[in-house]
Amino acid sequence: DREPLIHALTIYSGYNAHRLKVNENCKVYTVKRELLDVGKDIVKDHDGNMIPMYNLERTICDLIRSRNNIEIQDFNSILKNYISRKDKDLNRLMGYGKLLKIDNVIRRYMEVLLWNANDTWTSERKNQEWSERNLEHLWEYVQILITEF
């Protein structure tokens, strides 16, 4: 939704990043070399340059891995936004989560968020079921009264 104040870079563990860390506008994250390309896409920027960028699901995984360094309101807002998107891919998210060894954490967050997203529908459905059961009981009671008189 907004331009980041600090740009995030992900490099493989062991890369000499001392020059990158000098710049206060840049945050450097490291991952194992074999995980560096997981979820990487090549996109065109506004000037037509091709740049590597992580897809939505990898970004969510990285967010969850760094959740202790993020404001809770921003964290919740981002996850809720992801859940509401039509283009989300929960299978891909869980696949990346397994590779990054955070699948249990992702599952917990997604269960809560999906439960809350469906909570409105669920409560409406429960009310409808409750009303239907009450009508059935009322109808049975009316039939008993009719047969007694």
Side-chain angles (χ1 to χ4, degrees), residues 94-112:
M94 289 306 298
Y96 292 168
K98 281 185 182 182
L99 289 172
L100 296 166
K101 295 182 173 44
I102 57 168
D103 52 319
N104 290 331
V105 178
I106 292 173
R107 187 174 290 109
R108 273 197 324 258
Y109 281 113
M110 292 302 121
E111 285 173 355
V112 169

Side-chain angles (χ1 to χ4, degrees), residues 1 19 21 24 70 80 83 86 92 96 98 104 123 128 136:
D1 286 352
R19 288 191 182 118
K21 292 180 180 181
E24 63 274 352
I70 299 169
K80 286 177 183 177
I83 288 298
K86 299 267 189 244
R92 181 188 294 169
Y96 292 168
K98 281 185 182 182
N104 290 331
S123 61
Q128 181 181 357
E136 288 172 12

Side-chain angles (χ1 to χ4, degrees), residues 102-138:
I102 57 168
D103 52 319
N104 290 331
V105 178
I106 292 173
R107 187 174 290 109
R108 273 197 324 258
Y109 281 113
M110 292 302 121
E111 285 173 355
V112 169
L113 289 167
L114 290 169
W115 177 265
N116 286 339
N118 291 326
D119 196 31
T120 303
W121 179 86
T122 303
S123 61
E124 290 172 1
R125 180 71 183 138
K126 284 180 182 176
N127 287 340
Q128 181 181 357
E129 289 173 359
W130 184 84
S131 296
E132 289 171 359
R133 276 195 308 266
N134 281 343
L135 284 173
E136 288 172 12
H137 290 299
L138 182 62

Side-chain angles (χ1 to χ4, degrees), residues 47-63:
D47 297 324
N49 301 312
M50 302 304 282
I51 57 171
M53 184 176 189
Y54 285 129
N55 64 21
L56 187 57
E57 284 72 25
R58 173 61 190 262
T59 302
I60 295 296
C61 286
D62 288 344
L63 173 82

Side-chain angles (χ1 to χ4, degrees), residues 3-56:
E3 181 73 24
L5 298 175
I6 298 175
H7 295 282
L9 298 172
T10 304
I11 57 174
Y12 62 88
S13 301
Y15 182 86
N16 186 358
H18 76 278
R19 288 191 182 118
L20 299 173
K21 292 180 180 181
V22 171
N23 187 343
E24 63 274 352
N25 294 332
C26 184
K27 175 71 175 157
V28 178
Y29 295 94
T30 58
V31 294
K32 293 180 186 175
R33 186 185 291 259
E34 60 269 16
L35 298 174
L36 189 62
D37 290 333
V38 172
K40 188 190 293 185
D41 291 335
I42 304 296
V43 296
K44 192 181 288 190
D45 70 3
H46 298 296
D47 297 324
N49 301 312
M50 302 304 282
I51 57 171
M53 184 176 189
Y54 285 129
N55 64 21
L56 187 57

